[in-house]
């Protein structure tokens, strides 16, 4: 699953075996999950 660093805007892959979550490019600790740009439609009942 892909994440994006909020400081340097680089795409980051998280290694869940490693205990800390940091951007390997700038060391920032705030990452956001990349979401698809498509809209998912759900029928309401």
């Amino acid at each position: 699953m892909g994440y994006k660093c909020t400081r340097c805007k680089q795409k980051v892959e998280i290694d869940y075996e490693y205990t800390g979550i940091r951007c390997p490019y700038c060391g920032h600790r705030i990452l956001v999950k990349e979401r698809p740009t498509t809209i998912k439609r759900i029928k309401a009942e």
Side-chain angles (χ1 to χ4, degrees):
M1 179 162 305
Y3 291 87
K4 191 175 203 179
C5 176
T6 57
R7 181 186 287 167
C8 67
K9 309 293 190 247
Q10 293 288 329
K11 290 184 179 181
V12 177
E13 289 294 324
I14 299 298
D15 182 14
Y16 292 103
E17 308 256 331
Y18 182 65
T19 57
I21 296 177
R22 286 187 182 265
C23 174
Y25 304 104
C26 68
H28 199 60
R29 291 177 46 186
I30 300 174
L31 304 174
V32 293
K33 188 184 292 186
E34 290 189 322
R35 304 275 183 180
T37 57
T38 59
I39 298 173
K40 187 176 184 181
R41 301 216 180 253
I42 300 173
K43 185 177 179 180
E45 296 182 301

